[in-house]
Amino acid sequence: MKKVFFVCVFFFLATFIGCSSEKKDVTLSPDNGLPYFFYPNDLAKQDSVAANLAYGTYFTVHPQGAYKLSFDVDPSYTAPFLQLHRVSFNEDGTRYSSRRVRNLKATEINGRWEYSFVSEESDLAIWATTLVGEDHDYYSGRVDHFLFEGTGLYSSSFNLNLIVTGSFKGTADGYDENDLAAKLITSFRNIYQGIQIDTIFIRYAEFHPKVGHLYPDNEPWLAGTSSKDVMLNELGGWPEKTIYDALDLVLVHRIDESTGVLGYSSLFSANLGGGEGSTIVLGTHMKNTSTSETWLKADQIVETAIHEVGHFFGLRHTTTTIADFTGLQDFSSFEDGIDDTEWCSSVFGYALTKRKSIIPTDIYVRRPLMPKVYTGATSYGNLNECPDASNVMFPFVTDVPITGFSKGQLEIISKNLTLIPH
Ligand SMILES: [Zn+2]
């Protein structure tokens, strides 16, 4: 009996020593609840992502996307290993499990540690980071000037699909769905320079082969009230071969969740197929109070669509709003970080005074929605005077005519479009 015992102990020790001699082959899983996410080609400052990179931040990867994550060398430390973990969330996004998929050694280039990798996923997936330091523990050095870049193999053109829901009665200035679609594609082609928009389809929710029966054509669709899902994800990825990969613009009567909202998209929802993140929601009306609404003109709907599609491809607001801070929880990213866009200090100043009253929200996979907001309030000062008021990605409706995207914004859209299967 004794003999057997000693044999076992010896075997156990040998195994243990054998394992620990393989340097860096430990797995450090995310241990912090993954409070922050990032996405490719975003230039915002993202101090919170940098501070949490070692312990767990998450991001989206697309099939065959080529990515590079980098930050400044910390001369007091040896380069950490970047471990990447494939993450699965439970249904309400409150729990997750992770499996390590990469263990990457840094390459030092011009004072920066760089980690390059290609996603071999067959579909959009969520990965998370950890950094493993010298002692097989979470890296505790500095992560400065964090940057995440990505390019993909897909084309720089895409189609639009206008999905009409419920009892659509046209716009306030008399555009029917055909007129509106024509105006949409003309305006998109003007503003999305360098990106080819081939065509726009029109489909009706009532005729959807699977869920059409849920969308009666004789009542106005109130997003968030008529059905629970304010984004109407089930309509995204229209089940026809030529339309499936089009960007789905779902036209509803109004967004009923809150007042003053003209449209909704998720930040870098980046899904041209079906399911979560595959839709952009646009109202023909805007809710003012529970009993009143404003009927919108075609111009307002089209401008909102162009703005929301910017978010879809990863553009932030030129100036961060309180709602953005609430969702993203990163006060370092007060503007988009793009060199050739302006930002507005009066919007930012107001956000700061409200900072203490902001309630944290669960962001996990359900990334924050980015609404285009109408505000008559003077609490932000005169928004017409903001230097970024004429940019497509200014977060509020003003009297200033929209001039378009900057070159820097268009570059981000172009790169991210090539990552998204379509
Ligand atoms: Zn927005």
Side-chain angles (χ1 to χ4, degrees):
M1 199 63 186
K2 254 182 188 171
K3 200 175 175 184
V4 173
F5 175 73
F6 279 120
V7 169
C8 286
V9 167
F10 176 75
F11 182 73
F12 172 77
L13 284 174
T15 310
F16 184 73
I17 292 161
C19 281
S20 59
S21 69
E22 274 188 54
K23 281 203 169 172
K24 301 298 178 196
D25 200 13
V26 292
T27 297
L28 290 184
S29 301
D31 74 342
N32 62 352
L34 299 178
Y36 300 101
F37 82 99
F38 60 90
Y39 58 86
N41 306 309
D42 180 22
L43 298 174
K45 201 153 178 285
Q46 305 182 82
D47 283 352
S48 303
V49 170
N52 282 274
L53 202 65
Y55 309 98
T57 53
Y58 72 94
F59 61 103
T60 306
V61 287
H62 285 93
Q64 302 307 311
Y67 300 97
K68 184 169 81 183
L69 188 154
S70 62
F71 51 92
D72 291 350
V73 166
D74 183 340
S76 319
Y77 287 79
T78 57
F81 276 65
L82 172 66
Q83 295 198 338
L84 300 175
H85 314 263
R86 188 177 207 280
V87 178
S88 315
F89 288 87
N90 68 349
E91 251 186 28
D92 58 4
T94 53
R95 287 171 183 277
Y96 62 87
S97 57
S98 67
R99 176 174 61 82
R100 195 183 90 182
V101 289
R102 295 284 189 287
N103 187 33
L104 302 171
K105 199 178 171 186
T107 307
E108 190 175 325
I109 297 171
N110 297 329
R112 287 176 69 78
W113 285 323
E114 297 187 355
Y115 305 86
S116 297
F117 57 96
V118 174
S119 151
E120 279 144 25
E121 297 282 356
S122 57
D123 202 352
L124 201 140
I126 306 288
W127 286 12
T129 63
T130 52
L131 293 173
V132 182
E134 259 178 305
D135 304 324
H136 293 181
D137 204 352
Y138 293 101
Y139 170 71
S140 53
R142 295 186 64 86
V143 176
D144 287 331
H145 298 114
F146 163 79
L147 185 63
F148 183 57
E149 299 159 276
T151 52
L153 303 171
Y154 297 96
S155 84
S156 58
S157 66
F158 67 96
N159 295 323
L160 294 168
N161 182 31
L162 181 66
I163 302 175
V164 181
T165 63
S167 56
F168 173 64
K169 298 265 185 348
T171 68
D173 47 350
Y175 282 65
D176 67 12
E177 60 271 42
N178 294 302
D179 303 333
L180 185 62
K183 193 173 177 59
L184 275 165
I185 195 159
T186 307
S187 305
F188 266 78
R189 283 172 176 160
N190 276 340
I191 302 270
Y192 281 78
Q193 287 170 14
I195 293 157
Q196 194 183 326
I197 298 158
D198 292 329
T199 191
I200 183 164
F201 302 100
I202 303 173
R203 287 296 179 271
Y204 300 86
E206 59 182 295
F207 299 130
H208 190 285
K210 286 185 194 135
V211 295
H213 62 284
L214 302 172
Y215 292 85
D217 69 343
N218 58 358
E219 52 186 87
W221 192 270
L222 307 181
T225 299
S226 298
S227 71
K228 205 177 149 201
D229 178 13
V230 70
M231 296 306 295
L232 293 84
N233 280 322
E234 64 188 6
L235 293 174
W238 195 268
E240 283 178 50
K241 206 177 168 197
T242 49
I243 307 182
Y244 181 80
D245 290 335
L247 205 169
D248 297 303
L249 306 174
V250 181
L251 193 63
V252 299
H253 181 82
R254 71 171 191 234
I255 290 166
D256 209 39
E257 251 193 0
S258 47
T259 57
V261 174
L262 287 81
Y264 261 151
S265 171
S266 292
L267 182 57
F268 193 63
S269 65
N271 178 1
L272 287 168
E276 188 176 320
S278 64
T279 57
I280 279 162
V281 178
L282 304 168
T284 55
H285 294 66
M286 178 185 74
K287 183 176 180 175
N288 299 323
T289 65
S290 58
T291 53
S292 84
E293 61 183 18
T294 302
W295 197 359
L296 302 174
K297 291 181 177 169
D299 270 343
Q300 293 171 295
I301 297 168
V302 169
E303 264 181 26
T304 303
I306 289 168
H307 173 97
E308 299 305 332
V309 171
H311 288 317
F312 179 94
F313 287 121
L315 292 186
R316 291 172 181 259
H317 290 139
T318 45
T319 305
T320 305
T321 69
I322 297 171
D324 302 343
F325 280 135
T326 306
L328 302 167
Q329 289 288 300
D330 187 333
F331 292 93
S332 73
S333 298
F334 58 88
E335 50 105 14
D336 60 14
I338 302 169
D339 282 344
D340 62 1
T341 61
E342 305 273 1
W343 62 281
C344 188
S345 57
S346 56
V347 172
F348 179 56
Y350 182 69
L352 272 188
T353 63
K354 293 284 173 185
R355 184 171 171 168
K356 288 200 179 78
S357 63
I358 288 169
I359 303 157
T361 54
D362 171 5
I363 59 169
Y364 290 107
V365 164
R366 284 167 294 142
R367 284 162 295 222
L369 300 169
M370 300 292 271
K372 178 89 172 175
V373 176
Y374 179 87
T375 174
T378 53
S379 46
Y380 287 99
N382 187 352
L383 294 173
N384 293 326
E385 286 167 15
C386 283
D388 48 343
S390 64
N391 189 285
V392 176
M393 298 317 291
F394 189 67
F396 302 106
V397 177
T398 70
D399 303 329
V400 181
I402 297 297
T403 51
F405 290 119
S406 74
K407 200 166 163 269
Q409 287 174 317
L410 285 167
E411 278 171 17
I412 293 174
I413 295 170
S414 297
K415 281 183 200 161
N416 284 345
L417 176 57
T418 66
L419 281 165
I420 308 170
H422 65 286

